[in-house]
Amino acid sequence: MAKFLLVLIIVTVNGTAYSLNINKEKKLTACQLFSDHVILQQKAKVNIWGSSTPGQKVNVSGSWGKRASAITGANGKWNLKIKTPQAGGPYSIVIVAAGQTIDIKDVLIGEVWLASGQSNMDIPLKGWPPGDTIFNSAQEISNAEYSSIRFMKIPFKISTIPLGSVDGKWISSSPQTAGDFSATAYFYAKALYKKLHVPIGIIQSSIGGTPVEAWTSKGYLSKMIDFNKIIEEQETQNTNTTKINSNSPTVLFNGMINPVVQYTIKGIIWYQGESNVGRAEQYKRLFPNLIKDWRNQWGEELPFYYVQIAPYIYEAVDQHEQGQKLRDAQRYGLYLHHTGMVSTLDVGYLRTAHPPYKQQVGERLALFALKNQYGEKSLVASGPLFKKAIISGKEINIEFESVGGGLVSSANGLNNFEIAGADKIYVKADAKIVENKVVVSNASVINPFYVRYAWSDESIGTLFNKEGLPAATFTSEDQ
């Protein structure tokens, strides 16, 4: 029997008193993230939240044998933590308050990751017609019968204020559903599942054509000053006006990240950057700021693995020959702990900013998680990363981290290395691998000072480690 909270209101009209009973009971709800087919993070105290009548006790029971309770606040909101076991299921969750019950069925316990960014994270496994395709898409979709891989796709929403609710539902992978999943995130989830053999949950929150500042909270973006005036102006606007769109600062954080920040996850994968091409120096500050912001929102230093944008010829005047600068700016995220960067210099597709080889991208992202979160310590997760350049007479010796089993060149040899004197006038360099270093020179540069690699929109990777992972774009100018 449901309990009701009755409020008696006395109203006087023309000297006559009338009483009015108002039922103040609120419907018991749980955040939509907690619905049938949900995957919860294993071996954790996971957050569960929702709303009910103020002052009511909410009891949550997991069929794995754990319970938790909370009292709703004056606003009717409730939030609690419940312990989860090691991976398994299916289980159920029962939520009870004020005589009302929510029964969440087919609950799996496993590993949960947030996948976010712009179009290269958003593009689905089935591709985008007419030209943006995914390699081997039809076969991958037909083989996508993995009931323990599940996606919750956050609907597109912008807001000038942080939102607290979210729509959506958990969907299991199958040939009928996987085509709509993020291709990058699907291949990531599949790689983890094949190794770990536990349920993998992906919360996909991504929208094409969006800059990093749109995904950053006001609190952290305001620390940079760059966007304060814009934010102040847009907060006075209605979100339905044309002046506010998915490129506007903070609006995607407010609409698509803030509603999920309480959800207990293992970590984050990120693929974004194309919409910030032309603003590389600013991105060096913006991108690490976003990582710090999201970690602050979740209250822990979550692993954050991301993808360096692929080679692509940007034709816009303010973007042409700027892609390599953005790729290099992305390296600055590596200065933060528990980060990793995937290079895509070997899997670009110059005719589109959406290269079709998402399988390699997803699998390379998974290498970081398998190595750092799941105990595969022997894995080499990263391609060679620039460490330092040492001038030696007419040559520059380049040292790298993440050389793995050793440095190797592509079948076409080492290309895309350039050398310059103090005047920063670069010329093509002769390059060779010597004892896991790359040695560069050019007879016309008597006093070399700088070196750079893959420094153009259309550069294709030619330096790898023996594990087949490509080196990332770099310049020694700010070493």
Side-chain angles (χ1 to χ4, degrees), residues 426-471:
Y426 284 89
V427 295
K428 181 178 174 60
D430 297 317
K432 58 186 177 181
I433 297 172
V434 179
E435 297 179 348
N436 280 334
K437 299 181 180 66
V438 174
V439 180
V440 295
S441 62
N442 183 293
S444 68
V445 183
I446 299 174
N447 296 306
F449 212 85
Y450 301 109
V451 62
R452 64 190 188 187
Y453 169 69
W455 204 257
S456 74
D457 282 350
E458 56 197 282
S459 293
I460 303 299
T462 61
L463 177 66
F464 299 78
N465 54 30
K466 287 185 178 179
E467 288 71 20
L469 301 174

Side-chain angles (χ1 to χ4, degrees), residues 39 108 111 145-150 186-201 366 370 374:
I39 295 186
L108 295 183
E111 294 296 309
E145 194 66 64
Y146 297 104
S147 61
S148 292
I149 295 177
R150 300 178 180 180
Y186 172 78
F187 288 124
Y188 176 79
K190 180 182 173 183
L192 292 187
Y193 180 77
K194 291 288 189 179
K195 279 285 188 179
L196 303 177
H197 306 291
V198 301
I200 305 296
L370 291 170
Y374 302 119

Side-chain angles (χ1 to χ4, degrees), residues 168-182:
K169 59 183 179 179
W170 286 93
I171 299 176
S172 298
S173 176
S174 72
Q176 292 72 43
T177 62
D180 293 320
F181 297 163
S182 159

Side-chain angles (χ1 to χ4, degrees), residues 113 188 266-270 287-288 290-292 294-295 299-306 330-342 365 367-369 371-374 377 381 385:
W113 288 76
Y188 176 79
K266 188 70 170 185
I268 299 163
I269 57 173
W270 172 263
F287 181 45
L290 174 130
I291 298 174
K292 294 175 185 177
W294 286 18
R295 287 174 168 175
E300 59 180 305
E301 196 171 64
L302 293 168
F304 195 107
Y305 302 131
Y306 62 96
Q330 289 178 302
R331 287 195 301 126
Y332 282 70
L334 295 176
Y335 294 138
L336 300 175
H337 293 304
H338 309 303
T339 57
M341 182 181 73
V342 168
L365 283 166
L367 289 175
F368 287 110
K371 180 182 179 69
N372 299 322
Q373 276 65 57
Y374 302 119
K377 299 300 183 184
L385 296 170

Side-chain angles (χ1 to χ4, degrees), residues 273 277 280 283-284 306-314 321-333 341-345 350 416 453-461 471-474:
V277 168
Y283 199 85
K284 290 177 182 179
Y306 62 96
V307 185
Q308 204 178 37
I309 62 173
Y312 170 65
I313 301 173
Y314 292 87
E321 288 298 347
Q322 297 292 314
Q324 74 279 8
K325 295 179 182 179
L326 198 286
R327 288 198 302 270
D328 188 57
Q330 289 178 302
R331 287 195 301 126
Y332 282 70
M341 182 181 73
V342 168
S343 172
T344 57
L345 283 178
L350 299 181
N416 294 331
Y453 169 69
W455 204 257
S456 74
D457 282 350
E458 56 197 282
S459 293
I460 303 299
T473 291
F474 70 86

